[in-house]
Amino acid sequence: METVKLKELIDQMTVAEKVGQLVQLTPDFFAQGGEITGPMQQWQMSEDQLFTIGSVLGTHTAEQVYAIQTSYLEKSRLKIPLVFMADVIHGYETIFPIPLALASSFDAQLVEEVAKASAKEAAEAGVHVTFSPMADHVKDARWGRVLESNGEDPTLSSVLTAAYVRGYQGTASLAENKQRIAACVKHFIGYGAAEGGRDYHTVDLSDLELYQNYLPAFQAAIEAGAQLVMTSFNTIHGVPATANQPLLQEVLRQKLGFDGLIISDWAAVAELMAHRVAADRKEAAKKAFTAGVEMDMMSDCYLNALEQIIHAEPEMNEQLNKAVFHVLSLKNKLGLFEDPFRGLVQGNLAPKLVQETRHLSREAAKKTTVLLKNQALLPLQKKQKVALIGPKAASKDLLGAWSWIGKPEAAVSLAEGLSQKEIDLTVLSYPDGEMLMSTFIDEACKVVKEAEVVLLALGETSEEAGEAASLTKLSLSRKQEALIEAVSQVNPRIATILFCGRPLVLTAIEPLCQAIMIAWFPGSEGGNALADLLMGESEPQGRLAMSFPRAEGQLPMTYAQLSTGRPLTEENNDQKYISRYMDEKNEPLFSFGSGMGYGRCTITHTQIINPQEKDAPFEISCTLKNEGDVPHTTTLQLYSRDDVTEVARPMRELKQWQKIHLAAGEERQHTFYVTPEDFAYVHSDFSTKSDPGTISLYLGFAAASAKLIGTLTI
């Protein structure tokens, strides 16, 4: 539909119909074909109001979408189709590794492929928009929603956030490509900085921190074409984001140049009353709408108050029309005016799952699993006597908290995956919490006595990581630690496989394990992927996108810590009045970028070559050699430190990285190219530029261990 036609359609709408387009409901409002249902009654919603609604979130099947859209179009005066949205976070029915795991691949192409496959399954189920990617900057693993994030580095997060958007939306018109869906980047902004790591809690950020670390990933999503932005639950500068006019108008609209649809998070408009910045629903509606929120997700504030507000203040009609135009424009871009069902055909609505998507899930899990420690215990050898023990040994709880459509029973457990391999496997598992621990430990100690390798499958449940899953303690449960302690006394050849949605505190168990593998929540094919990795048929390629702390007291933490006036160094390690803990080391147990494979790579012959021509890049080259006797894929990481700056800057920042595959014994040169713009940063006046001076450069395979190779001068 042409833009002029959209504006003509808006002219035909009543104020009530315009307001309706700004409201999003769940499918249960339509469950009885338009009769007054429980939710409608609770909201005091009439049937006339129901059939002005603009959007539905959280449908499960194509049949449900088809039925709701059909009923709606029959009863809607202007026949404006609904737009259907859902949380497609890391897959729809076929589940991929969680986003934090995908970030640990350091692989934008993989992320784009996963998003594309997720979009296809979701689109075939009638979904038009996904509430993904999550671009929140995170430094505190106590916050359960780090599971959805791209980790602690804003540069890596920006690259991967853009990859998600490209994967979901593609490059062609969404109206033409009905196997792609629109992306809604979230949560704008600061949600990952909740105080104490407690979900929905207060956030207090400086503008400098906001601009330097929190905005870049959103900027990348918008530049990649994200069609929607979701506001966050938290406060920014003392005002909830949903009612924060400077944030939404000056930062999002003007600075970032976003011209799409702004939607609230679930009931966030009504929650302005709980924040105590609005006295009632009418004031909440006015504050959110004036700030710039154009779709009210799952509250009745707009529905039952905004029309009254507009009639009392007719000058707000212009803003109302603009908001409605953004809603209709989204529907138009999706091709819904020409095809309200977006390719769904009655009689052909069954799920169309394909084996290629399961294969991609398996490959993704192999590329995201992180091997953190290996004292020549892995890979397993054929015919080895292996004991697989623990609550996760035969568990199908591999999908994670946001796999609401995925079926756990369709997941492949670790025991199932290993049962297909040529090893002498004994499995001892239990549903977490359903067996006396002392009894299980006794049984486990009997089993491991004769084993050549003990695999302990431990970690979190899906309910222990994700939204509303904040923790103060990040260590394994006491009974799991007790299992490790007991087994290690009988057989020290332990490889621990950890299933989790966040960095854990492994300080107590690390010395007891000869190998540690982070499986995350690996998705539908997790068991098969892990079996491939454990047998050495594939190599672990993951590198931590978020540091694992030594203790919760270090949080929030990031490898990119700022300089201080009294930094801890090797030279002053015995002094008191420096920035340090008395009871723990400053650094994490495993830093950002950490991970290993079954080969071993070294870096030699590093060189920094200055440009010979104006505007030409600097060249940073090195020679890589696989010292092992098996093929090896490594992630080479380039870090920098601006030596003199206007504002305090990180001691080390990731600038570029490259995944490099080397045959056994292979030696190869690699070159990074950088320009002065790569070292630009946000100054005190919020301008972004690089400074004249020297930049120290570091090369390596993790943030903490990357070595200084020299300096370049801008």
Side-chain angles (χ1 to χ4, degrees):
M1 184 182 290
E2 297 177 357
T3 298
V4 65
K5 296 291 185 182
L6 291 180
K7 292 182 178 179
E8 289 174 0
L9 181 57
I10 292 172
D11 290 340
Q12 298 175 46
M13 299 170 71
T14 65
V15 172
E17 288 170 330
K18 292 176 183 178
V19 169
Q21 286 296 305
L22 310 187
V23 177
Q24 184 176 74
L25 305 176
T26 51
D28 52 328
F29 283 81
F30 297 88
Q32 302 301 319
E35 295 179 10
I36 302 299
T37 64
M40 288 176 62
Q41 200 166 37
Q42 182 180 348
W43 279 29
Q44 299 179 343
M45 181 195 297
S46 69
E47 185 170 317
D48 287 342
Q49 284 178 306
L50 180 64
F51 292 99
T52 65
I53 296 303
S55 178
V56 174
L57 81 156
T59 52
H60 288 66
T61 64
E63 290 90 346
Q64 190 179 35
V65 170
Y66 197 92
I68 292 173
Q69 190 78 286
T70 299
S71 173
Y72 182 87
L73 291 174
E74 286 174 355
K75 298 179 181 180
S76 169
R77 183 178 77 90
L78 293 174
K79 313 302 180 188
I80 300 172
L82 292 162
V83 59
F84 291 84
M85 308 188 192
D87 287 292
V88 185
I89 307 301
H90 51 108
Y92 192 69
E93 187 161 344
T94 302
I95 304 300
F96 296 95
I98 59 173
L100 185 57
L102 289 169
S104 296
S105 72
F106 279 66
D107 190 336
Q109 182 178 350
L110 174 66
V111 167
E112 187 170 339
E113 290 174 359
V114 166
K116 178 182 177 181
S118 302
K120 184 176 184 295
E121 276 195 359
E124 289 174 349
V127 175
H128 306 147
V129 175
T130 173
F131 298 127
S132 177
M134 188 178 102
D136 292 308
H137 180 55
V138 298
K139 296 186 291 186
D140 195 334
R142 292 173 297 180
W143 189 51
R145 295 193 81 164
V146 300
L147 173 150
E148 298 175 61
S149 78
N150 292 317
E152 72 189 62
D153 184 81
T155 301
L156 177 64
S157 182
S158 296
V159 170
L160 299 185
T161 299
Y164 275 108
V165 175
R166 291 194 303 270
Y168 289 133
Q169 297 187 172
T171 56
S173 162
L174 286 168
E176 296 172 3
N177 192 345
K178 296 176 182 177
Q179 291 189 336
R180 300 293 182 108
I181 57 180
C184 174
V185 63
K186 63 184 186 184
H187 308 84
F188 197 78
I189 196 166
Y191 191 22
E195 289 185 359
R198 200 174 83 214
D199 214 345
Y200 320 119
H201 198 24
T202 300
V203 168
D204 191 9
L205 291 174
S206 71
D207 283 336
L208 196 64
E209 175 76 357
L210 182 72
Y211 276 67
Q212 188 68 54
N213 293 321
Y214 287 78
L215 286 181
F218 286 91
Q219 178 77 72
I222 291 166
E223 291 176 355
Q227 296 294 315
L228 302 91
V229 170
M230 181 189 292
T231 60
S232 56
F233 287 116
N234 55 272
T235 55
I236 287 286
H237 300 151
V239 179
T242 305
N244 198 314
Q245 186 170 4
L247 180 70
L248 300 183
Q249 298 302 325
E250 297 171 17
V251 180
L252 180 58
R253 290 295 193 197
Q254 296 176 27
K255 181 174 178 59
L256 301 190
F258 180 65
D259 193 35
L261 179 64
I262 300 176
I263 184 171
S264 79
D265 208 334
W266 184 292
V269 175
E271 287 172 11
L272 295 178
M273 294 182 289
H275 278 288
R276 295 187 294 114
V277 299
D280 51 32
R281 279 172 162 72
K282 181 178 179 181
E283 187 175 5
K286 183 174 181 179
K287 284 197 169 187
F289 184 71
T290 302
V293 173
E294 297 169 319
M295 185 167 280
D296 181 3
M297 181 198 292
M298 278 305 292
S299 96
D300 60 351
C301 294
Y302 282 13
L303 187 71
N304 290 322
L306 194 52
E307 182 181 5
Q308 180 184 354
I309 293 168
I310 298 296
H311 284 312
E313 302 181 47
E315 66 273 13
M316 295 178 68
N317 266 298
E318 182 179 352
Q319 185 176 348
L320 178 63
N321 289 342
K322 185 175 181 180
V324 174
F325 179 77
H326 281 146
V327 175
L328 299 187
S329 292
L330 173 65
K331 295 180 179 183
N332 193 41
K333 289 176 182 177
L334 289 161
L336 294 176
F337 288 102
E338 290 73 27
D339 179 7
F341 300 98
R342 206 162 181 262
L344 299 183
V345 178
Q346 192 171 22
N348 187 28
L349 300 174
K352 303 173 183 65
L353 304 180
V354 295
Q355 194 58 38
E356 288 81 2
T357 310
R358 293 282 300 205
H359 177 73
L360 179 59
S361 176
R362 186 170 182 164
E363 290 302 304
K366 289 192 286 190
K367 291 180 178 179
T368 56
T369 297
V370 184
L371 182 61
L372 287 177
K373 182 179 181 179
N374 187 23
Q375 296 176 334
L377 190 63
L378 299 177
L380 303 174
Q381 305 301 312
K382 291 183 179 180
K383 310 301 182 182
Q384 253 184 332
K385 191 174 180 63
V386 177
L388 173 60
I389 294 171
K392 293 290 186 178
S395 173
K396 290 178 176 286
D397 181 21
L398 307 182
L399 304 185
W402 271 119
S403 55
W404 61 291
I405 297 295
K407 297 178 175 60
E409 63 271 19
V412 179
S413 71
L414 179 54
E416 289 171 330
L418 284 172
S419 69
Q420 306 301 312
K421 305 300 182 181
E422 295 182 53
I423 55 175
D424 182 0
L425 181 67
T426 301
V427 179
L428 183 63
S429 186
Y430 67 95
D432 200 17
E434 292 187 15
M435 185 173 183
L436 287 174
M437 203 59 209
S438 58
T439 302
F440 183 79
I441 288 177
D442 290 343
E443 290 296 316
C445 289
K446 293 176 185 177
V447 169
V448 304
K449 281 183 179 179
E450 305 301 322
E452 296 175 80
V453 177
V454 179
L455 300 179
L456 291 181
L458 309 171
E460 299 180 302
T461 66
S462 290
E463 292 73 28
E464 290 172 329
E467 186 171 358
S470 301
L471 294 173
T472 61
K473 296 180 177 63
L474 300 180
S475 54
L476 294 174
S477 68
R478 180 65 196 118
K479 59 184 177 182
Q480 291 190 33
E481 288 191 349
L483 176 62
I484 296 178
E485 292 165 2
V487 168
S488 68
Q489 294 176 21
V490 178
N491 188 336
R493 293 176 58 79
I494 294 173
T496 296
I497 319 300
L498 289 170
F499 298 83
C500 53
R502 52 155 61 88
L504 299 175
V505 172
L506 306 178
T507 309
I509 71 162
E510 184 271 334
L512 305 178
C513 305
Q514 292 186 10
I516 297 175
M517 183 176 280
I518 307 300
W520 310 107
F521 287 106
S524 301
E525 283 287 316
N528 283 331
L530 290 168
D532 292 344
L533 295 171
L534 290 167
M535 294 302 300
E537 296 167 13
S538 297
E539 184 185 34
Q541 294 187 25
R543 303 294 185 263
L544 292 182
M546 196 171 182
S547 302
F548 276 46
R550 293 177 178 274
E552 294 87 354
Q554 294 175 303
L555 300 175
M557 77 178 313
T558 172
Y559 82 91
Q561 59 183 306
L562 300 186
S563 299
T564 75
R566 297 184 178 186
L568 174 67
T569 66
E570 292 183 6
E571 291 74 23
N572 66 12
N573 190 48
D574 59 344
Q575 297 179 22
K576 178 181 174 75
Y577 296 104
I578 53 177
S579 182
R580 66 184 304 170
Y581 295 106
M582 295 179 66
D583 59 344
E584 187 53 272
K585 296 179 180 180
N586 282 9
E587 65 267 18
L589 184 64
F590 297 106
S591 80
F592 175 88
S594 294
M596 60 195 303
Y598 295 137
R600 185 174 67 86
C601 203
T602 57
I603 301 173
T604 58
H605 302 101
T606 60
Q607 189 176 16
I608 301 171
I609 303 174
N610 293 324
Q612 299 301 308
E613 300 177 6
K614 185 181 179 181
D615 298 327
F618 294 88
E619 298 180 19
I620 299 102
S621 66
C622 68
T623 299
L624 293 172
K625 184 176 181 180
N626 179 5
E627 303 284 357
D629 56 4
V630 295
H632 178 50
T633 299
T634 191
T635 301
L636 181 63
Q637 301 161 39
L638 174 66
Y639 294 86
S640 71
R641 183 189 71 197
D642 197 333
D643 292 328
V644 179
T645 56
E646 190 231 5
V647 296
R649 299 289 299 136
M651 295 291 290
R652 197 166 290 195
E653 296 179 88
L654 180 67
K655 288 300 171 185
Q656 293 185 22
W657 62 92
Q658 185 66 51
K659 298 190 74 166
I660 300 168
H661 182 77
L662 299 168
E666 182 181 359
E667 193 171 50
R668 189 193 311 168
Q669 188 179 55
H670 182 78
T671 302
F672 290 109
Y673 299 91
V674 297
T675 66
E677 288 71 28
D678 290 315
F679 305 103
Y681 66 92
V682 178
H683 287 59
S684 58
D685 62 357
F686 304 110
S687 64
T688 301
K689 57 188 176 184
S690 55
D691 294 335
T694 59
I695 305 289
S696 296
L697 297 176
Y698 304 79
L699 270 179
F701 306 113
S705 59
K707 302 298 184 184
L708 177 67
I709 62 167
T711 62
L712 58 81
T713 301
I714 297 177

